Amino acid sequence: MRFGFTTGSCAAAAAKAAAYMLLTGKEKKEITIETPKGIPYHAQIVEITRREESVRCAVIKDGGDDPDVTTGCHVFAEVSYAGKTDPKEETLQDEGGTGREKWDKACEGKSDGASVLIDGGEGVGRITLPGLDQPVGNAAINHVPREMIEKEVLEVCSLCDHHGTLRVLIFVPEGEELAKKTFNPRLGIVGGISILGTSGIVEPMSSKALLDTIRVELSQKKALGYECVAVSPGNYGLDFMKNTYDYNLDGSVKCSNFIGDTIDLAKEMGFQGLLLTGHIGKLIKVSGGIMNTHSKEADCRMELLAAAGLKAGCSGDAARAILEAGVTEEGVRILMQEGVLEAAMTYVMDRILFFLQKRAGGELKVECMTYANQYGLLAKSDGAEEMLIGIKRRDGK
């Protein structure tokens, strides 16, 4: 499959091309940068606007074969003169820069005295909550893309013997609309997309992006002072949790299929407790020790449900009917019809807790609730409601 390039790589390429055109007066329709992965990015430059004091241009984002919502968007950079300013005298962080230490590192072997101020404009989000890569108030341009932009622009400064300060504004005209399809609104990033990337490239269907998002959400909760965190695979069951416990699942950390990895991250960050809430169709897999619940990893929902039914005393015919059922909700109906639903779900919850606690390794208290759309709460661990009350109290509810 074909890999693509991150918004960070696009921003760095556009900034380098704009800086080159500003300082040389020559038009540049393609540029090459080195990504942190070590793979060169040969970018085509479009939408060029040249003025005496500034140049703006764009790179069209290509996510390769990854289904990235930002593919096809225009990542613009406008580079302008900002006068001779030593970064010791002007705080780069206030302008969305990377600070004196990173400036010194970026300048090693570069043009003495040159500096770069980086900020975000239209379609680039602003940070409104703590715990993210950038401080509250900064443009959502993560530190690696900032370093890439700075490095490439300083390289041009060195080439052109420029010793002053250049101001780089990154903007994405489509960004505000695209951000509605991302996690940004729930992370407290308003007004647009984030300029992201640690390697500079986009690996198709990479799980790393999802895990990075889970890490960010957990980090944000930690920064806000949470000792225990609510985790759910998604918003399936949103109405149930709202109506039964007055808790909005949208406020939980979304772990997708990565239940085991999320426990690992919560341990790493020093959380004291984790409450996992989810639909029986997802969590029944955990009762079999499956910590990545994606169907491509394992799908033995009906087998585990049938085994729980047999353990609870259902008939062989009922177990066979569960195995032939297409969805867990139907399996739950059969267990209820057999009169063994409560016993079966108690057994399922015991197995879920066994494997969750085994993954936590005694470093994290884990509680759990599971439910079905048609039948409501099916089972909960002994401390689940108490932990939920504590989380809601921390939410100010």
Side-chain angles (χ1 to χ4, degrees), residues 116-190:
V116 183
L117 303 178
I118 302 168
D119 203 356
E122 177 192 3
V124 173
R126 285 276 160 186
I127 309 296
T128 65
L129 293 176
L132 298 174
D133 181 272
Q134 293 294 303
V136 171
N138 266 22
I141 305 173
N142 280 9
H143 73 280
V144 172
R146 289 178 185 273
E147 291 166 11
M148 293 172 66
I149 293 167
E150 197 168 41
K151 172 182 175 294
E152 298 297 340
V153 172
L154 287 173
E155 184 178 297
V156 175
C157 288
S158 179
L159 176 69
C160 298
D161 198 28
H162 178 77
H163 303 284
T165 299
L166 294 181
R167 192 177 301 274
V168 178
L169 183 71
I170 304 298
F171 60 99
V172 183
E174 308 98 322
E176 188 167 2
E177 192 63 30
L178 289 172
K180 297 175 183 177
K181 303 175 184 178
T182 72
F183 283 98
N184 277 13
R186 57 179 283 110
L187 294 176
I189 301 173
V190 301

Side-chain angles (χ1 to χ4, degrees), residues 252-324:
S252 65
V253 172
K254 299 300 181 291
C255 67
S256 184
N257 295 295
F258 301 100
I259 292 172
D261 290 301
T262 302
I263 291 174
D264 295 343
L265 290 170
K267 287 195 301 181
E268 176 188 317
M269 294 182 188
F271 283 97
Q272 295 180 13
L274 182 150
L275 172 62
L276 175 65
T277 63
H279 188 271
I280 186 63
K282 187 72 70 174
L283 297 195
I284 187 66
K285 296 183 183 182
V286 182
S287 74
I290 298 165
M291 290 289 144
N292 183 332
T293 57
H294 197 287
S295 58
K296 72 177 181 181
E297 298 291 333
D299 189 4
C300 51
R301 295 165 299 151
M302 308 319 293
E303 291 83 355
L304 288 166
L305 202 57
L310 288 170
K311 179 74 175 177
C314 79
S315 66
D317 286 342
R320 281 188 287 272
I322 292 171
L323 289 172
E324 293 171 4

Side-chain angles (χ1 to χ4, degrees), residues 61-75:
K61 166 71 186 299
D62 178 6
D65 290 332
D66 189 72
D68 189 334
V69 298
T70 60
T71 291
C73 75
H74 290 67
V75 180

Side-chain angles (χ1 to χ4, degrees), residues 305-369:
L305 202 57
L310 288 170
K311 179 74 175 177
C314 79
S315 66
D317 286 342
R320 281 188 287 272
I322 292 171
L323 289 172
E324 293 171 4
V327 293
T328 49
E329 293 266 349
E330 175 62 12
V332 169
R333 187 196 66 77
I334 294 169
L335 292 174
M336 178 177 284
Q337 183 177 292
E338 284 282 295
V340 298
L341 180 60
E342 183 177 351
M345 289 300 104
T346 298
Y347 172 75
V348 166
M349 182 54 66
D350 285 344
R351 299 307 296 164
I352 289 173
L353 284 177
F354 172 80
F355 287 111
L356 292 178
Q357 290 168 356
K358 182 179 180 181
R359 187 67 175 245
E363 298 178 43
L364 182 71
K365 183 179 181 182
V366 183
E367 303 290 349
C368 184
M369 291 182 178

